[in-house]
């Protein structure tokens, strides 16, 4: 059977790539091609930017409350089509349906509605300088903005970023990840159905090197938001230099989950295991990929985590009882396997897991033999400088590091180039407050982990990014400031 195709969405129309090329999209639970997406390049990006430039002034002139009404209709249509969209995404990137259908789709619709509510809250300042001039500041939309998406939660990211950009009055060109963009392309028809003018949102699929770089380099794009790896963030930063293009970066992480000896160990183990083995088989920017554990409870904690990991069902993402699906692409699978090999070579001790391929499945299923399966895995390392402890693996692989003193725990937690998130488990309130101050990251959780909400600012420090998204100031990244001096005539 010929796989279905998911064309680009430009100026309100479905279009193949101008060059006619298609990229294979693989079902990661079988390893087989299940769909094709356009292999777009600079010409497709140029068409999309032109369409966005035509749409931008009209959309910016729509009163904010009316923009909000359109966004709320979009949220409603997303809710009505949530089941189909979630199934497409789970098929495409292997994230379990319970998460896409249960969390990403309803959360995405709520995120659109939240950003809609921000549309008419944009304000400026009046500055009193004396004299006759009236001086004020205005926040204005950029015009055309670019949004580059990752493959781990494409729809959730699409809804969050695009609704923010639109609420602020911009037109958008989106470049989703080539590995998993069918759900985003499938959902495009809902945009104009909700009342958005053609060209206000354009989605162009293709590789990062061709389509992504063309978007960042396009002189008609005033701002680009990138959610992706730190390596991509670096490359995009270089490219943006030519046009001094404004950038927002949401990048990788290596989040530390500190477990003190006074913690509720059962709750901590459940929370830590859930934060690295589920949520897309650990393919989450805020995965608890490092457990930093007080030496006196190290064994008691890691044994509990092992019990949780053993209880997880690894299998078909669409099955209702599956806890963990496959790795999203062959390339990422190879990367995760390389860390399973690297760990012991670097001197880390395998505490459990380490298996891959069909052996990692909870029960045999010949239909899934070609999938990209990895067992929930935990290593122990006594040296936080190992690559295993420093580099983002982006899979169901954690490393546990023992510590003796509180200061040592924070030093380990902060001892990477990342600063996206982190947390601690403790019953001591004073220590909890110290941990919030000491952990150098954009988000710190105490006695919980991997919680993100549209109403709470979220963003990275250090090499994890440069700006918070979400929360009451979410539109700020989509607006540019102007100072106005007005003298009486
Ligand atoms: P990636 O960096 O490989 O790709 C992300 C996007 O960037 C894709 O659309 C890709 O095509 C594009 N891209 C790649 N190279 C490019 C280039 N040279 N120019 C322009 N665009 C380019 O990331 P991924 O593998 O899709 O996603 C996983 C990464 O994303 C992880 O590092 C994860 O931590 C990060 N992530 C971060 C957040 C966050 O909120 N901080 C959220 C989700 C994922």
């Amino acid at each position: 059977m010929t796989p279905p195709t998911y064309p680009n969405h430009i100026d309100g129309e479905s279009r193949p790539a101008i060059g006619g090329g298609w990229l294979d999209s693989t079902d990661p639970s079988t390893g087989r091609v299940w769909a094709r997406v356009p292999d777009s390049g600079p010409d497709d990006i140029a068409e999309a930017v032109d369409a966005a430039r035509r749409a931008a002034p009209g959309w910016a002139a729509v009163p904010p409350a009316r923009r909000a009404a359109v966004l709320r209709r979009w949220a409603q249509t997303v809710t009505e089509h949530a089941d189909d969209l979630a199934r497409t995404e789970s098929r495409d990137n292997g994230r379990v349906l319970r998460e896409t259908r249960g969390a990403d789709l309803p959360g995405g619709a709520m995120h659109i509605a939240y950003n809609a509510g921000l549309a008419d809250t944009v304000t400026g300042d009046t500055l009193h300088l004396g004299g006759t001039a009236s001086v004020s500041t205005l926040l204005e939309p950029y015009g055309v903005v670019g949004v580059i998406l990752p493959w781990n939660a494409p729809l959730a990211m699409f809804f969050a970023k695009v609704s923010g950009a639109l609420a602020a009055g911009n037109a958008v060109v989106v470049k989703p990840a080539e590995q998993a963009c069918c759900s985003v392309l499938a959902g495009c028809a809902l945009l104009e159905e909700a009342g958005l003018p053609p060209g206000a949102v354009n989605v162009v699929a293709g590789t990062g090197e061709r389509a992504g770089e063309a978007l960042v380099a396009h002189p008609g794009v005033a701002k680009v938001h990138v959610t992706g790896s730190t390596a991509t963030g670096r490359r995009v930063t270089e490219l943006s230099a030519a046009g001094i293009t404004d950038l927002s970066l949401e990048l990788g992480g290596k989040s530390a989950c500190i477990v003190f000896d006074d913690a509720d160990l059962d709750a901590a183990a459940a929370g830590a295991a859930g934060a690295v083995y589920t949520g897309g088989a650990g393919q989450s920017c805020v995965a608890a990929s490092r457990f930093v554990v007080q030496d006196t409870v190290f064994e008691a904690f890691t044994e509990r985590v092992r019990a949780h990991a053993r209880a997880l069902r690894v299998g078909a993402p669409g099955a209702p009882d599956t806890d963990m699906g496959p790795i999203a692409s062959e390339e990422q699978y190879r990367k995760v396997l390389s860390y399973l090999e690297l760990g012991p070579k670097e001197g880390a001790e395998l505490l459990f897991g380490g298996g891959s391929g069909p052996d990692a499945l909870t029960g045999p299923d010949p239909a899934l033999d070609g999938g990209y399966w990895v067992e929930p895995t935990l290593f122990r390392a006594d040296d936080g400088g190992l690559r295993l402890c420093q580099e983002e693996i982006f899979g169901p692989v954690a490393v546990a590091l023992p510590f003796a003193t509180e200061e040592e725990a924070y030093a380990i937690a902060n001892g990477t180039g990342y600063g996206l998130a982190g947390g601690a488990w403790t019953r001591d309130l004073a220590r909890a407050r110290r941990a919030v101050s000491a952990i150098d990251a954009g988000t710190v959780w105490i006695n919980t982990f991997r919680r993100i909400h549209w109403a709470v600012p979220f963003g990275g420090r250090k090499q994890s990014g440069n700006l918070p998204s979400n929360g009451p100031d979410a539109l700020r990244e989509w607006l540019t400031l102007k100072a106005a001096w007005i003298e009486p005539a």
Side-chain angles (χ1 to χ4, degrees):
M1 205 179 79
T2 319
T5 54
Y6 288 85
N8 290 331
H9 186 81
I10 298 176
D11 212 6
E13 293 172 0
S14 292
R15 296 187 193 169
I18 291 169
W22 295 92
L23 298 167
D24 290 338
S25 203
T26 302
D27 175 341
S29 66
T30 63
R32 286 198 287 271
V33 175
W34 83 278
R36 296 212 156 92
V37 299
D39 182 7
S40 312
D43 292 346
D44 304 278
I45 291 289
E47 269 199 351
V49 174
D50 283 349
R53 283 169 103 165
R54 287 192 297 275
W59 179 246
V62 172
R66 293 232 327 265
R67 289 204 294 266
V70 172
L71 292 180
R72 289 194 187 98
R73 278 202 298 279
W74 182 28
Q76 180 60 34
T77 61
V78 165
T79 302
E80 285 157 14
H81 293 81
D83 210 54
D84 282 350
L85 291 171
R87 280 178 197 284
T88 304
E89 184 146 309
S90 287
R91 178 95 194 258
D92 210 22
N93 74 351
R95 191 170 162 93
V96 299
L97 190 60
R98 261 203 346 234
E99 290 168 2
T100 51
R101 182 66 189 92
D104 292 5
L105 264 294
M110 296 292 273
H111 207 138
I112 296 171
Y114 178 82
N115 282 341
L118 297 178
D120 58 8
T121 65
V122 176
T123 57
D125 289 324
T126 303
L127 289 90
H128 301 283
L129 303 181
T132 53
S134 149
V135 184
S136 58
T137 58
L138 292 77
L139 288 169
E140 298 181 327
Y142 282 88
V144 177
V145 297
V147 171
I148 296 182
L149 297 174
W151 42 254
N152 60 333
L155 279 174
M157 296 283 168
F158 177 74
F159 297 141
K161 306 308 165 203
V162 172
S163 63
L166 289 172
N170 299 284
V172 194
V173 177
V174 180
K175 208 301 282 175
E178 58 273 30
Q179 297 86 348
C181 54
C182 296
S183 56
V184 169
L185 291 165
C188 284
L190 307 180
L191 294 162
E192 286 79 26
E193 202 180 306
L196 276 159
V201 180
N202 308 276
V203 182
V204 182
T207 63
E209 291 69 26
R210 287 188 71 222
E213 297 206 359
L215 180 60
V216 178
H218 196 295
V221 178
K223 157 121 203 190
V224 180
H225 179 111
V226 180
T227 307
S229 63
T230 295
T232 296
R234 272 195 204 102
R235 173 71 186 132
V236 164
T237 302
E238 284 167 14
L239 289 170
S240 70
I244 318 287
T245 306
D246 203 356
L247 284 183
S248 294
L249 302 171
E250 285 186 27
L251 307 175
K254 190 74 180 175
S255 301
C257 174
I258 303 174
V259 181
F260 288 107
D261 60 3
D262 67 335
D264 175 340
L265 287 189
D266 291 324
V276 68
Y277 301 135
T278 59
Q283 297 163 100
S284 161
C285 54
V286 289
S289 49
R290 291 181 300 147
F291 304 155
V292 181
V293 189
Q294 195 141 18
D295 47 12
T296 44
V297 294
F298 189 89
E299 210 176 320
F301 172 76
T302 53
E303 276 309 311
R304 282 169 169 78
V305 175
R306 179 205 300 266
H308 280 286
R310 278 225 174 108
L312 293 174
R313 285 195 67 80
V314 181
D321 56 349
T322 300
D323 299 299
M324 216 187 92
I327 299 299
S329 69
E330 187 177 358
E331 184 190 1
Q332 180 61 21
Y333 181 52
R334 301 273 158 232
K335 182 178 163 196
V336 176
L337 296 188
S338 76
Y339 283 100
L340 296 181
E341 279 175 25
L342 175 72
K345 281 190 201 151
E346 281 195 304
E349 177 193 352
L350 182 68
L351 295 182
F352 62 78
S356 60
D359 293 347
L361 287 161
T362 297
D365 184 344
L368 304 180
D369 278 357
Y372 311 136
W373 308 103
V374 175
E375 260 184 325
T377 297
L378 183 62
F379 285 99
R380 173 188 172 131
D382 292 278
D383 172 2
L386 301 186
R387 282 182 54 204
L388 201 66
C389 307
Q390 291 288 322
E391 297 174 12
E392 185 182 44
I393 299 172
F394 222 56
V397 181
V399 57
L401 295 123
F403 73 87
T405 66
E406 195 174 322
E407 291 66 32
E408 213 184 314
Y410 302 140
I412 295 170
N414 294 334
T416 75
Y418 293 106
L420 190 58
W425 296 78
T426 177
R427 289 186 170 103
D428 178 338
L429 184 57
R431 179 183 268 165
R433 288 189 188 284
R434 286 197 298 274
V436 169
S437 302
I439 296 173
D440 190 10
T443 296
V444 178
W445 295 287
I446 301 294
N447 298 324
T448 184
F449 217 92
R450 210 168 66 77
R451 303 265 295 271
I452 297 178
H453 191 281
W454 48 88
V456 181
F458 173 76
R461 295 180 177 182
K462 294 154 79 178
Q463 292 168 31
S464 290
N466 63 357
L467 268 186
S469 290
N470 303 355
D473 294 327
L475 300 200
R476 186 62 188 86
E477 67 166 307
W478 305 109
L479 293 160
T480 179
L481 191 130
K482 179 184 279 176
W485 296 67
I486 303 177
E487 286 285 0

